[in-house]
Every structure is written in structure tokens, then in C-alpha cells.
Amino acid sequence: STAATLERFTINFTITNLPYTSDLENPDSARFRDTRRDMNSLLDRLLKESSIGPDFQGCETTGFRYGPGSDRDQTRVDAVCTYSKEPWAAPLDRVGLYHQVSNKTRGITQLGPYSLDKDSLYVNG
């Protein structure tokens, strides 16, 4: 039998109550590290409860950008998540996963202490 492969997908969303500062551009800053750790654990908790939960390996926040346009009152989060895919399993159901994330974030409005822009979520296979 063929072994499972590790597959990745990206998640992006905008936080409306996290002002973007130059600290968030610097991977060595305490603010970057703390915010990344927060995001990783919030995303991990969210996805462990989703339909991919049993195969889910973890999310890694890859970076932060300022909000739409150059809105520095908001921060855009980029994360890459990994799951283990059996050779016979169907491809990632991005639409299904999008709806699950939406349901678990109150319609893409809340992730832990963070407020989200409800139109900002992207899930990409």
C-alpha cells in the first residue's frame, strides 16, 4: 500500500482589531513571535475540530501584511496548513472547509480575541 502524503493548503484572513505595525514585519520581534504563536494555536484548535481533524498536522503562520489597500488598522494573516492525505482520499474539499471555518468563527467574525473581516477568508488547496 502507498503511504499517505503530506499536503498543504493556505488560509488567509484579515483581523480588524490588530493594528499593523513595523514589529509585524520583523520575524525577530517579540510581537511577531507572540502573534504568530497565538495564530498557530487558534488555527490548530479550529482545524482539529473540522472534518480534516483526524488527518490535520498543523498550521504555520508565514507572515503578516497590512489590511486591504494600505489600511494599517488591520492586519492580514497568511498561514500554511498541513494534512496527511491517503492516496485513495478525495482532494481537499476547500468549499466544505471554508464553510466549517466560517461556522466555527461565527460567520468569519471572531477567532479567539480577534475580530475578523467577514469577507476576507480564503482557503486554497
Side-chain angles (χ1 to χ4, degrees):
S1 70
T2 324
T5 54
L6 286 181
E7 301 273 332
R8 290 181 175 77
F9 60 95
T10 59
I11 287 192
N12 318 87
F13 52 90
T14 299
I15 297 174
T16 56
N17 63 343
L18 178 68
Y20 185 82
T21 60
S22 56
D23 289 6
L24 288 175
E25 282 171 47
N26 174 8
D28 297 321
S29 76
R31 187 160 190 255
F32 179 99
R33 288 197 304 262
D34 290 347
T35 310
R36 183 179 59 190
R37 191 181 56 230
D38 261 5
M39 285 304 142
N40 291 354
S41 81
L42 287 164
L43 287 169
D44 283 357
R45 197 176 315 154
L46 187 71
L47 288 158
K48 277 188 185 117
E49 294 172 357
S50 76
S51 56
I52 66 162
D55 305 312
F56 174 66
Q57 305 286 315
C59 289
E60 187 56 53
T61 301
T62 54
F64 302 102
R65 296 177 277 160
Y66 45 74
S70 56
D71 185 354
R72 290 180 176 264
D73 293 335
Q74 305 187 1
T75 295
R76 188 127 181 86
V77 178
D78 298 321
V80 176
C81 304
T82 307
Y83 69 104
S84 149
K85 182 179 177 298
E86 297 297 343
W88 63 83
L92 181 73
D93 174 10
R94 289 186 304 142
V95 174
L97 198 55
Y98 177 96
H99 287 300
Q100 292 174 56
V101 171
S102 173
N103 291 339
K104 292 172 195 305
T105 55
R106 299 186 183 178
I108 315 166
T109 60
Q110 194 163 26
L111 180 63
Y114 300 106
S115 301
L116 307 181
D117 169 350
K118 66 181 174 51
D119 299 317
S120 70
L121 177 69
Y122 290 92
V123 177
N124 261 310

